[in-house]
Amino acid sequence: MSFRELTKKGVALLAIAGFAVAPMSVQAQSHRQKTKNEWRNLAIGSGVLGLLGLVNGDKTLTFLGAAGALYSANRYEQDRKSQSREARARYELFHRGSFNRDGHHYVRKVVWKNHHKYYRFVRVW
């Protein structure tokens, strides 16, 4: 079996896998949910491609499929974790430049510690 025939079969399998796991009501989902589902579908499709390469003895296809599946699975997990309530609250707090609380005004400042950038709020009045 030539590489071209193998590639055509791989693309057909990816299309079938993509349609099988595609969400039914995309319009009802948030942007973050859509992105998360896209990463999941890419991970599944890449895994199928890697298995196809493994079955047919194509090391390049196996490597590319496995690498794509691992990267996509990692991005899916990051998107899944970013949907948590605490992450959203932390983002909303540190996204703003200042806020007032109990009659005091706090301003966001950048702090560098061990070559890492952090934010903290400093009371100014």
Side-chain angles (χ1 to χ4, degrees):
M1 184 177 288
S2 71
F3 181 76
R4 180 174 284 156
E5 292 171 345
L6 182 64
T7 305
K8 287 180 182 177
K9 286 184 179 183
V11 169
L13 282 173
L14 282 175
I16 291 169
F19 288 123
V21 296
M24 291 299 186
S25 61
V26 175
Q27 295 172 347
Q29 297 175 351
S30 68
H31 175 72
R32 183 170 291 180
Q33 184 69 32
K34 285 184 213 176
T35 305
K36 186 177 79 165
N37 287 340
E38 287 173 2
W39 283 117
R40 182 197 61 212
N41 294 344
L42 285 171
I44 292 169
S46 297
V48 168
L49 192 62
L51 286 175
L52 182 67
L54 187 64
V55 167
N56 290 318
D58 187 353
K59 292 181 181 180
T60 304
L61 200 58
T62 302
F63 174 76
L64 291 176
L70 288 173
Y71 179 76
S72 299
N74 181 41
R75 289 299 304 263
Y76 169 79
E77 188 65 19
Q78 287 176 355
D79 282 352
R80 188 185 67 77
K81 287 180 180 178
S82 73
Q83 285 183 307
S84 71
R85 184 176 299 179
E86 294 84 13
R88 283 195 309 271
R90 188 171 38 255
Y91 171 79
E92 288 176 11
L93 175 66
F94 285 99
H95 185 67
R96 60 173 89 170
S98 66
F99 66 93
N100 293 320
R101 182 172 183 184
D102 297 330
H104 299 287
H105 185 71
Y106 294 87
V107 177
R108 184 180 69 186
K109 298 288 182 182
V110 177
V111 177
W112 290 91
K113 187 173 184 180
N114 296 329
H115 305 290
H116 291 283
K117 183 179 180 179
Y118 297 97
Y119 296 104
R120 72 183 228 191
F121 286 97
V122 179
R123 188 173 77 184
V124 289
W125 50 267

